């Protein structure tokens, strides 16, 4: 960007930085193990952690103001010049009652529960289907449906973190109905290792381009070079807890902020909690 742009421009989103190539339906008959490692992330673990922390702070503020975003995804997370994350696109957001000073995120009265949890507007399936929480996706109306709360943002934040780490979404389906069913019923598979992020300073190999492991353009390692790294127990635990189907059992945002993987390397822990 120029130092003083003459007009406001849309910041680059984190989706622009996720190197991902979703297979078409006709090409999805792959070996499961091979498919897990056919997506090349461009964020290192530490870069993903930094972006995730910013998003947690922004989402915490929104929930404090009574706003449920309802469409958290990489494309709606914008970068400033200094790579701080800003949450964007409130077109489908739910604007409820802000939490007053001295209150917590807990519902304090039946009226508040009606206002925040059971509002018909909040329960509408709006946003991006691949990031919908399970409580928005149940198709069996004969069983009792979970309450729809701000926990839908925690789920989509978990899917977003999954994307930053693995450069893919966990659920793929032939159509929206099957996607809803998968989100509501199928277990989320969290790999215990991933392809390491590519180094954007390296150049694209000029030979044997048909063997490249990434998409058709961009920086690559040498042909045939696969570099893996382990997903540590703390990151695995955070993803698992954010992607629990039952919103009542799913980790709360205030717990996400205090999770060991999130606070790793933070010198001033108290300052982080106050931020």
């Amino acid at each position: 960007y120029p130092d003083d742009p003459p007009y406001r421009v849309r910041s680059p989103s984190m989706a622009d930085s996720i190197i991902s190539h979703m297979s078409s339906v006709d090409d999805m008959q792959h070996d499961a193990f091979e498919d897990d490692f056919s997506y090349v992330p461009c964020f290192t673990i530490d870069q993903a952690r930094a972006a995730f922390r910013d998003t947690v702070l922004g989402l915490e503020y929104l929930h404090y103001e009574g706003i449920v975003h309802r469409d958290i995804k990489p494309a709606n997370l914008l970068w400033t010049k200094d790579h701080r994350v800003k949450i964007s696109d409130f077109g489908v957001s739910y604007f409820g009652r802000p939490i007053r000073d001295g209150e917590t995120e807990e519902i304090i009265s039946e009226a508040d529960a009606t206002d925040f949890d059971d509002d018909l507007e909040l329960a509408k399936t709006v946003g991006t289907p691949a990031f919908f929480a399970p409580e928005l996706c149940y198709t069996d109306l004969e069983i009792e449906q979970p309450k729809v709360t701000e926990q839908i943002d925690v789920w989509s934040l978990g899917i977003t973190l999954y994307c930053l780490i693995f450069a893919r979404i966990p659920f793929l389906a032939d159509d929206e109905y099957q996607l809803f069913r998968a989100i509501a019923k199928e277990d989320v598979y969290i790999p215990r290792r991933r392809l390491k992020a590519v180094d954007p300073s390296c150049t694209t190999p000029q030979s044997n381009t048909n063997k490249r492991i990434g998409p058709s353009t961009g920086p690559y390692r040498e042909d045939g070079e696969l570099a893996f790294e382990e997903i540590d127990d703390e990151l695995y635990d955070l993803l698992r807890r954010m992607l629990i189907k039952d919103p009542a059992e799913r980790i709360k945002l205030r717990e996400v902020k205090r999770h060991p993987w999130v606070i790793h390397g933070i010198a001033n822990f108290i300052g982080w909690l106050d931020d």
Side-chain angles (χ1 to χ4, degrees):
Y1 294 132
D3 291 336
D4 296 300
Y7 52 86
R8 291 178 63 87
V9 295
R10 181 177 173 89
S11 301
S13 76
M14 290 201 290
D16 299 328
S17 298
I18 295 178
I19 301 178
S20 176
H21 52 100
M22 297 302 178
S23 302
S24 67
V25 172
D26 292 338
D27 293 333
M28 286 176 60
Q29 303 302 319
H30 298 302
D31 176 81
F33 182 84
E34 180 182 359
D35 184 66
D36 286 335
F37 301 109
S38 62
Y39 299 86
V40 185
C42 71
F43 281 177
T44 66
I45 296 293
D46 285 339
Q47 289 169 338
R49 184 176 2 237
F52 183 77
R53 284 174 180 162
D54 280 357
T55 310
V56 167
L57 292 181
L59 195 55
E60 181 183 46
Y61 176 75
L62 292 180
H63 287 185
Y64 179 83
E65 294 291 344
I67 300 169
V68 182
H69 189 276
R70 296 204 290 188
D71 200 17
I72 295 293
K73 60 183 179 180
N76 287 339
L77 304 179
L78 308 184
W79 263 344
T80 64
K81 293 179 182 179
D82 57 353
H83 281 190
R84 296 304 302 270
V85 172
K86 303 290 186 179
I87 299 175
S88 73
D89 195 347
F90 294 84
V92 297
S93 296
Y94 170 87
F95 295 85
R97 181 184 64 78
I99 299 174
R100 306 181 190 92
D101 290 343
E103 291 181 9
T104 68
E105 289 178 296
E106 299 296 330
I107 299 301
I108 63 173
S109 72
E110 184 176 347
D112 289 335
T114 300
D115 178 48
F116 197 69
D117 286 344
D118 297 328
D119 192 277
L120 293 177
E121 177 63 27
L122 181 58
K124 290 181 179 177
T125 51
V126 294
T128 306
F131 292 80
F132 280 0
E135 54 267 36
L136 297 174
C137 296
Y138 287 103
T139 56
D140 186 357
L141 301 180
E142 300 300 320
I143 62 174
E144 183 179 358
Q145 306 299 310
K147 287 184 178 181
V148 178
T149 70
E150 76 281 3
Q151 285 292 86
I152 62 177
D153 278 348
V154 174
W155 173 277
S156 58
L157 181 63
I159 298 295
T160 296
L161 178 59
Y162 192 104
C163 290
L164 298 183
I165 299 299
F166 299 112
R168 58 173 295 178
I169 55 177
F171 297 108
L172 294 173
D174 293 352
D175 53 53
E176 192 170 278
Y177 180 85
Q178 294 298 325
L179 178 62
F180 281 12
R181 185 180 182 280
I183 293 172
K185 301 294 185 182
E186 292 181 9
D187 292 336
V188 178
Y189 173 60
I190 304 173
R192 293 309 302 248
R193 65 173 183 162
R194 70 166 198 164
L195 279 170
K196 292 184 69 173
V198 295
D199 181 356
S201 66
C202 69
T203 57
T204 303
Q206 300 300 312
S207 61
N208 298 325
T209 55
N210 61 315
K211 296 181 181 179
R212 291 173 181 169
I213 62 173
S216 57
T217 60
Y220 303 96
R221 303 182 184 92
E222 292 298 324
D223 291 343
E225 179 186 357
L226 296 176
F228 297 101
E229 63 182 337
E230 300 299 317
I231 300 300
D232 65 48
D233 291 341
E234 290 179 349
L235 176 54
Y236 183 90
D237 178 73
L238 177 60
L239 285 166
R240 179 187 61 80
R241 295 176 66 189
M242 294 185 75
L243 300 177
I244 290 175
K245 304 287 187 183
D246 185 349
E249 299 296 327
R250 190 176 307 145
I251 189 173
K252 304 294 191 295
L253 189 60
R254 61 181 175 273
E255 298 173 293
V256 171
K257 190 177 182 182
R258 292 162 171 78
H259 191 277
W261 185 80
V262 177
I263 65 174
H264 177 79
I266 293 180
N268 183 7
F269 175 67
I270 301 301
W272 160 252
L273 293 182
D274 289 342
D275 196 356

